[in-house]
Amino acid sequence: MPYQWNQTSNTDQELRLWPHNSLPPRWAIRVVFSLFIFGLLPLMAVLGSAVLWGLLPFLLVTVLGLWLAIQANYRSRSVFEIFTLTGTQARLVHHNPRTGQQEWVCNRYWARPEMHKHGGPVPNYVTLTGDGREVEIGAFLSEEERIALYGDLTQKLREPVAQ
């Protein structure tokens, strides 16, 4: 599950959320290299002729395009969120490489999670409401993960604060 609760002190808890990463960087290099090798196999038939030089740029453009697409995907997936619960405060920090850092702070007593089954940008859209604002949390998670996140948030916000 791409989120994890951490106990930072007796009363403070921290939730870290990140998008799922199905292709680690080490495997991305292997995929690009495999594409290059398997792309060279058909070119062996035209080795030594002028046709090779006509087809080779297309293979190189394909390999470069795949590499650039994977790198763009990694940059867009570098988004993450940190939700911190202290004795009196709920705080959500959303880190996005494009828009920078966005922060939401609210009194823990007034913070409450809401699930929008329909009508959100994704099914089972989870938001936090408090201090007159409503902010999204975990929009990059899968539908099942958002349902589990909503249950966890509901439970953690209802727990009494240990002194």
Side-chain angles (χ1 to χ4, degrees):
M1 183 132 333
Y3 70 85
Q4 178 180 11
W5 284 97
N6 297 319
Q7 189 79 25
T8 56
S9 71
N10 289 343
T11 60
D12 298 355
Q13 296 178 343
E14 182 180 85
L15 171 67
R16 297 183 146 271
L17 300 106
W18 60 91
H20 180 70
N21 185 5
S22 61
L23 185 64
R26 176 182 291 164
W27 279 96
I29 294 170
R30 292 177 184 175
V31 166
V32 171
F33 185 71
S34 298
L35 173 71
F36 179 70
I37 294 299
F38 285 119
L40 283 178
L41 289 178
L43 294 181
M44 294 297 174
V46 292
L47 195 63
S49 71
V51 176
L52 172 71
W53 298 109
L55 295 176
L56 190 60
F58 291 103
L59 173 63
L60 295 177
V61 166
T62 302
V63 170
L64 179 65
L66 178 64
W67 179 255
L68 292 175
I70 289 173
Q71 292 306 312
N73 188 339
Y74 282 142
R75 275 192 305 280
S76 68
R77 279 189 318 192
S78 64
V79 62
F80 65 95
E81 295 174 342
I82 299 173
F83 179 63
T84 308
L85 283 175
T86 64
T88 59
Q89 193 178 65
R91 179 175 182 244
L92 177 67
V93 180
H94 180 85
H95 298 272
N96 191 328
R98 292 188 190 127
T99 60
Q101 180 173 310
Q102 298 169 321
E103 188 173 337
W104 171 81
V105 179
C106 173
N107 186 321
R108 179 181 178 150
Y109 177 77
W110 297 108
R112 70 179 197 278
E114 291 183 4
M115 179 175 295
H116 307 277
K117 299 238 182 240
H118 308 287
V122 291
N124 294 316
Y125 185 61
V126 179
T127 60
L128 289 169
T129 304
D131 198 28
R133 289 180 55 199
E134 185 174 25
V135 294
E136 69 178 8
I137 183 169
F140 47 77
L141 300 176
S142 71
E143 188 172 348
E144 295 82 22
E145 292 165 345
R146 284 190 302 274
I147 293 170
L149 173 66
Y150 174 73
D152 284 352
L153 287 172
T154 303
Q155 176 189 9
K156 295 288 184 181
L157 285 170
R158 285 186 183 162
E159 287 178 357
V161 179
Q163 298 295 332

